[in-house]
Amino acid sequence: MAQPAQRPRRRRWYALGAGVCAVLVAVVGVLVVTRGDEPVDMVRDYLSALREGRLDAALRAANVDGLPTGEQAGLLDAATLRGGWRVGSLEAESTSRESPVVVRVTLLDDADHPTVARSGEGRFTVVRDGGDWRIENPFHEVTFADSALGYIEINGFTRPRGKHPYLLFPGIYQPYAAANGAVTVAAPPLVALPGQHTRRPYVVEVRVTAAGNRSYQALSDIFFDGCAAARGCGFTPLGDYYRVPGGVVRSDKATGVRATIVRRPEVNLPGVMSGGSGLFGQVTVPGEVRLTGRGAPAGGNWTAAFAQTCLIRQTPLVATIAADGTITTNWTGDSALRAVVSCY
């Protein structure tokens, strides 16, 4: 009679054991699914935090210990972070779990019309660092092409423009969107993702406004008045000589040359300019300058005086524009600039 009574207890024990095993399997399964240190999950968390402007959370997600320093890291600031983009696709290039793992990512411009949204593709390299994963290339490297702009602007955050590459957080940016009274800038969206195949410099087009041209005209007037006062610059006649009775005097043989401005030229900074290290001015209405002096004609043994009126058809002034719209030129008051003139 005792043996039949024991059988149900055994079945209950087996049932309890199966239940415990099921719970353990479920818990282990949850742990495997929700672990956040997998390469794809790590990149996803990193990009999500950047998109939301949470810099500290992004660095933790990438397992990055602080930010780089130096001029190259001048754009790595929380002020540059902004949404307006989303992850289009995110996948590991290989099913292997061995380090390193390359995660391919596409970003899309979160525009009102996604069919024309701008996009870009990049690759993150995720490596084992001890027992954890770490994003080895968390930043994008970009070089800004030479231009008349003496600054870089990303989402309203500005830094002086250098010739070296800059590091940038992943994302899609609209550079040079901040208002500037001197110029308008046509700048394409900048898709920042590490591991991109192309590394072309970022190029912008600069158009000077009416206010900017008025500033440039004022600087031109100061320049030509300074040249007439022989303050570190001067006027060189076309052909590099002056006419005197019986011949010509080479510019380097002339003495006592004096310049008097008859009429300043009207100038502006023309059109749409891309590339280059500054904007070259042009003369729209020639000015006039009176040049006087003395010199010995070539092959002669006497000196003669000359007095010539010359047209100012060109200007050597090159302009650079600062972030606040201030225009500066390559003449500082003592620069050895020369203005070529056509004398008659």
Side-chain angles (χ1 to χ4, degrees):
M1 295 295 294
Q3 186 172 352
Q6 293 174 354
R7 287 175 181 172
R9 288 197 295 271
R10 174 179 276 183
R11 285 196 295 270
R12 284 198 300 271
W13 173 254
Y14 288 150
L16 179 60
V20 170
C21 290
V23 172
L24 289 174
V25 169
V27 170
V28 171
V30 170
L31 289 176
V32 170
V33 171
T34 60
R35 284 185 64 186
D37 61 350
E38 300 298 323
V40 172
D41 292 338
M42 172 173 274
V43 173
R44 179 184 292 109
D45 293 344
Y46 176 56
L47 293 175
S48 296
L50 290 176
R51 185 172 179 268
E52 296 166 4
R54 298 181 294 119
L55 178 55
D56 291 341
L59 297 180
R60 287 195 300 271
N63 199 12
V64 175
D65 186 15
L67 294 174
T69 58
E71 293 183 359
Q72 191 177 16
L75 295 177
L76 294 180
D77 192 285
T80 65
L81 297 180
R82 190 171 298 172
W85 54 272
R86 55 192 168 87
V87 175
S89 64
L90 192 152
E91 60 180 345
E93 289 190 344
S94 170
T95 58
S96 171
R97 295 286 302 278
E98 294 184 3
S99 177
V101 176
V102 176
V103 179
R104 186 169 60 248
V105 178
T106 62
L107 298 186
L108 299 177
D109 193 344
D110 200 7
D112 294 334
H113 306 286
T115 56
V116 296
R118 298 162 289 262
S119 64
E121 180 179 283
R123 287 166 172 79
F124 291 89
T125 301
V126 186
V127 298
R128 279 285 188 187
D129 188 358
D132 298 322
W133 290 100
R134 174 175 56 83
I135 298 179
E136 189 175 50
N137 57 339
F139 311 118
H140 170 72
E141 186 177 276
V142 59
T143 300
F144 291 83
D146 288 342
S147 76
L149 306 177
Y151 64 99
I152 296 166
E153 184 263 307
I154 297 288
N155 290 345
F157 183 79
T158 60
R159 281 290 182 267
R161 181 176 61 81
K163 295 183 179 295
H164 53 78
Y166 286 86
L167 297 176
L168 199 61
F169 295 116
I172 297 181
Y173 300 88
Q174 182 54 65
Y176 296 105
N180 183 320
V183 294
T184 58
V185 183
L190 196 163
V191 181
L193 276 173
Q196 291 179 326
H197 294 302
T198 59
R199 288 182 176 270
R200 297 189 184 97
Y202 183 79
V203 179
V204 299
E205 293 183 341
V206 180
R207 186 186 297 274
V208 181
T209 65
N213 276 319
R214 287 193 294 271
S215 297
Y216 181 72
Q217 180 69 62
L219 294 171
S220 174
D221 293 346
I222 295 172
F223 165 71
F224 282 109
D225 288 347
C227 279
R231 290 175 51 198
C233 65
F235 298 88
T236 300
L238 190 64
D240 207 27
Y241 62 84
Y242 302 97
R243 296 186 183 89
V244 296
V248 296
V249 175
R250 286 175 41 187
S251 296
D252 59 350
K253 300 296 183 182
T255 60
V257 179
R258 295 289 183 269
T260 303
I261 296 293
V262 178
R263 182 182 66 251
R264 300 186 186 113
E266 295 182 18
V267 298
N268 68 10
L269 294 165
V272 175
M273 305 289 291
S274 61
S277 57
L279 287 176
F280 289 82
Q282 69 178 3
V283 173
T284 58
V285 178
E288 284 188 337
V289 60
R290 183 74 170 170
L291 300 179
T292 60
R294 296 187 65 85
N301 56 3
W302 73 94
T303 62
F306 58 83
Q308 295 178 255
T309 302
C310 310
L311 291 178
I312 305 172
R313 299 180 183 273
Q314 299 177 350
T315 174
L317 283 187
V318 180
T320 302
I321 296 91
D324 62 358
T326 301
I327 295 179
T328 57
T329 71
N330 53 330
W331 188 67
T332 59
D334 57 359
S335 307
L337 298 182
R338 307 294 295 182
V340 178
V341 296
S342 303
C343 300
Y344 56 90

